[in-house]
Amino acid sequence: MDLRQLKQFVAVAETRSFSRAAERLCMAQPPLSVAIRKLEEEIGFPLFERGSRGVQLTPAGDAALEAARKCLRDAEEVLSAARAAAGGEAGRLRIGFIGSVTFGLMPRLIQAFRAHYPNVKLELVEATNQELLSAVEGETLDIGFLRMPTAQPPGVKVQLIERDVFVAALPAQHALARRKSLSMKDLANQPFIGYTPSRVGGLHAAVTQLLMHAGVSPSVTQEAVQVQTVMGLVASGLGMALVPSVNAAAASDLVAIRPIRDLPRSPSIGIGLAYRASGESVVAKRFREVVGEVLGQ
């Protein structure tokens, strides 16, 4: 028994006529009659009572009709699901992210993506730059929102989707907090909270390059991996820090955020989108298309 036979059976049952069923199926009547006979032989019971006024369902045929319709509906759902997944309209998208993108960028992009593709299931995981790059390369994540600049493993591409600049974060009671803006020289000899070195670069590399360019050597007292942790250490009065401006919105009342008026053009920092260089899923491509549409890229 196959789907073709079920379609033929349903057509005859609904039209109560072999000739009208044959017209619906765009086939000749004799092959249709033969096909129904073979189906009845396979089942072991007659499905129709044949007469001069047409055909009527037998009790066995009546019981089989709804089951046959259900099989055809299920088969259509299978085809629809496969087509949707192949077109990136359904399936699963595994997204990794750093904490900074939760302040506005990622929610905006996810809302736009869900509006376009409501049948895609999203799985979100927070991680560090290094973890995100490894996961995308290892195919346990499809997309990663990460901090730039960063190194790129051979199997991963990173697209800059949002530029940012450093601002100074200092304890609210610090003497320099009275100023509306700071210069890089103001950081010299100050207790400073830096970022933990990473094999993939990130904020540690960007801050180090910036300080060297300005000829400033602050006194590093603490280091942390995440920007949120650095902000917490600043709030505790342990020192000043350079943080991406996007994080300023999350600063507590114990932290003063001040722009830096003499920032050089480099290093460029921002948010990047990591994805696989080859073997990228169709759903991941659809997500990047939405990102480009929302951000005008």
Side-chain angles (χ1 to χ4, degrees), residues 22 46 66 78 104 142 187 200 205 213 223 268 294:
E66 185 53 39
V78 170
D142 302 301
L187 276 62
V200 296
H213 184 277
E223 289 182 338
S268 176
V294 172

Side-chain angles (χ1 to χ4, degrees), residues 37-285:
R37 286 291 187 192
K38 288 182 178 180
L39 179 61
E40 290 175 319
E41 291 173 3
E42 184 175 345
I43 293 175
F45 298 96
L47 298 174
F48 297 103
E49 293 178 356
R50 295 149 173 89
S52 58
R53 295 184 178 181
V55 296
Q56 299 293 324
L57 286 167
T58 64
D62 190 55
L65 180 57
E66 185 53 39
R69 285 170 171 161
K70 183 178 185 302
C71 285
L72 293 175
R73 288 195 300 269
D74 290 345
E76 184 58 34
E77 288 180 5
V78 170
L79 291 175
S80 296
R83 292 190 189 105
E89 298 175 0
R92 178 182 62 163
L93 182 64
R94 301 163 299 177
I95 301 175
F97 63 94
I98 56 171
S100 297
V101 298
T102 61
F103 297 127
L105 178 63
M106 189 175 74
R108 182 157 56 104
L109 295 175
I110 285 181
Q111 287 176 7
F113 181 76
R114 288 180 65 84
H116 282 76
Y117 303 102
N119 295 322
V120 174
K121 180 183 178 182
L122 300 180
E123 298 179 4
L124 305 178
V125 179
E126 185 176 7
T128 65
N129 262 28
Q130 185 170 328
E131 292 167 342
L132 292 172
L133 289 167
S134 297
V136 172
E137 184 180 31
E139 301 187 11
T140 57
L141 285 178
D142 302 301
I143 291 287
F145 287 95
L146 43 73
R147 176 70 62 190
M148 295 189 73
T150 186
Q152 295 181 218
V156 176
K157 289 186 177 180
V158 180
Q159 171 189 355
L160 179 65
I161 60 173
E162 184 178 73
R163 294 186 182 277
D164 202 353
V165 295
F166 280 118
V167 293
L170 58 158
Q173 301 303 318
H174 196 286
L176 292 175
R178 301 190 189 98
R179 301 182 184 179
K180 293 183 178 181
S181 65
L182 301 179
S183 70
M184 289 297 298
K185 296 297 183 182
D186 291 326
L187 276 62
N189 302 317
Q190 291 284 343
F192 190 79
I193 299 167
Y195 298 92
T196 304
S198 168
R199 289 192 298 108
V200 296
L203 291 179
H204 173 81
V207 168
T208 300
Q209 183 179 346
L210 182 58
L211 293 173
M212 290 178 61
H213 184 277
V216 174
S217 299
S219 176
V220 178
T221 59
Q222 299 286 335
E223 289 182 338
V225 175
Q226 301 283 10
V227 179
Q228 296 94 316
T229 307
V230 169
M231 296 276 273
L233 296 174
V234 171
S236 300
L238 297 178
M240 302 170 59
L242 291 172
V243 300
S245 66
V246 69
N247 294 88
S252 72
D253 294 339
L254 300 175
V255 177
I257 301 294
R258 298 292 181 266
I260 301 172
R261 54 180 177 269
D262 57 349
L263 277 177
R265 292 185 177 272
S266 61
S268 176
I269 65 170
I271 301 299
L273 196 65
Y275 57 98
R276 285 193 289 281
S278 62
E280 182 185 18
S281 70
V282 179
V283 178
K285 290 180 181 177

